Amino acid sequence: SVINDKIITQKEIILNKSHKMQNMQKLLDSPKIKAWRSLMHAYTQIYRYLESELLKENCSISRFQIFFYLYFHGPLSSIELAKSLNVTRGNISAFIGRLSEDSLVVINAAEGRGGKQLISLSKKGKSQFEDLFPEHIKRVEIVMPDISLKSLNALSEIDLNP
């Protein structure tokens, strides 16, 4: 009878876990959750592909992103760059130090900005980015599916920062 009680208890635990699993699985059935999971999967796959292609050209995706922001939005302070890339200022400082050693960026004191230093691409950095960027865009064009303007606008409007 103690053995039977243990067997019944184990069966109840298994059934309870199975019921919880079914309830958890149902949470994944919502169209918005399916879309989110698809976006996360696509992001991971595309990121890995683009990163591997950039590495073949001796450029990490982090370096490429810094080039991108400095080329199209620079000059920027390390704080602005860190916020744009959603990384710590320490990470940016380390990257900028390496880029500076390779003569790919120039660091200048910003007038009228409280002594902040502004980072911009050097001629060498601009040239390197201008060589990389068109091929990168071709790769993005190849791997990205067509997305309706309505969906693209809806995704672009997501802003959860207060």
Side-chain angles (χ1 to χ4, degrees), residues 17-30 33-34 37:
K17 283 184 180 179
S18 175
H19 184 69
K20 282 183 181 179
M21 177 66 94
Q22 288 173 353
N23 287 339
M24 295 295 276
Q25 190 69 38
K26 285 179 186 176
L27 294 174
L28 300 176
D29 292 338
S30 155
I33 300 305
K34 286 180 179 181
R37 293 182 71 208

Side-chain angles (χ1 to χ4, degrees), residues 30-52:
S30 155
K32 286 186 178 184
I33 300 305
K34 286 180 179 181
W36 168 71
R37 293 182 71 208
S38 294
L39 282 170
M40 295 306 295
H41 173 76
Y43 170 81
T44 301
Q45 295 300 308
I46 293 168
Y47 185 96
R48 285 180 183 160
Y49 167 71
L50 294 174
E51 180 177 48
S52 71

Side-chain angles (χ1 to χ4, degrees), residues 140-149 151-152:
V140 172
E141 290 278 351
I142 290 167
V143 299
M144 278 300 297
D146 291 330
I147 298 176
S148 72
L149 187 56
S151 294
L152 187 57

Side-chain angles (χ1 to χ4, degrees), residues 104-160:
L104 296 169
V105 295
V106 177
I107 302 169
N108 292 308
E111 293 181 27
R113 290 186 70 172
K116 286 184 185 175
Q117 293 183 325
L118 290 182
I119 305 153
S120 57
L121 289 175
S122 67
K123 285 183 182 180
K124 182 180 174 184
K126 282 181 186 176
S127 176
Q128 202 171 94
F129 180 74
E130 288 167 348
D131 288 344
L132 288 170
F133 192 64
E135 287 302 313
H136 184 76
I137 291 300
K138 285 179 189 175
R139 290 183 199 111
V140 172
E141 290 278 351
I142 290 167
V143 299
M144 278 300 297
D146 291 330
I147 298 176
S148 72
L149 187 56
K150 180 180 176 183
S151 294
L152 187 57
N153 287 337
L155 290 171
S156 298
E157 290 174 6
I158 296 172
D159 183 4
L160 304 177

Side-chain angles (χ1 to χ4, degrees), residues 49-85:
Y49 167 71
L50 294 174
E51 180 177 48
S52 71
E53 292 300 310
L54 283 169
L55 287 172
K56 290 176 186 175
E57 300 182 53
N58 294 316
C59 183
S60 69
I61 200 133
S62 298
R63 178 177 282 212
F64 182 84
Q65 289 174 316
I66 291 170
F67 280 173
F68 179 89
Y69 275 96
L70 292 177
Y71 189 89
F72 289 108
H73 305 286
L76 297 169
S77 70
S78 59
I79 294 170
E80 292 166 328
L81 199 50
K83 284 181 183 176
S84 295
L85 296 170

Side-chain angles (χ1 to χ4, degrees), residues 85-98:
L85 296 170
N86 200 28
V87 297
T88 66
R89 192 165 164 226
N91 282 349
I92 287 298
S93 295
F95 265 105
I96 295 304
R98 286 188 292 248

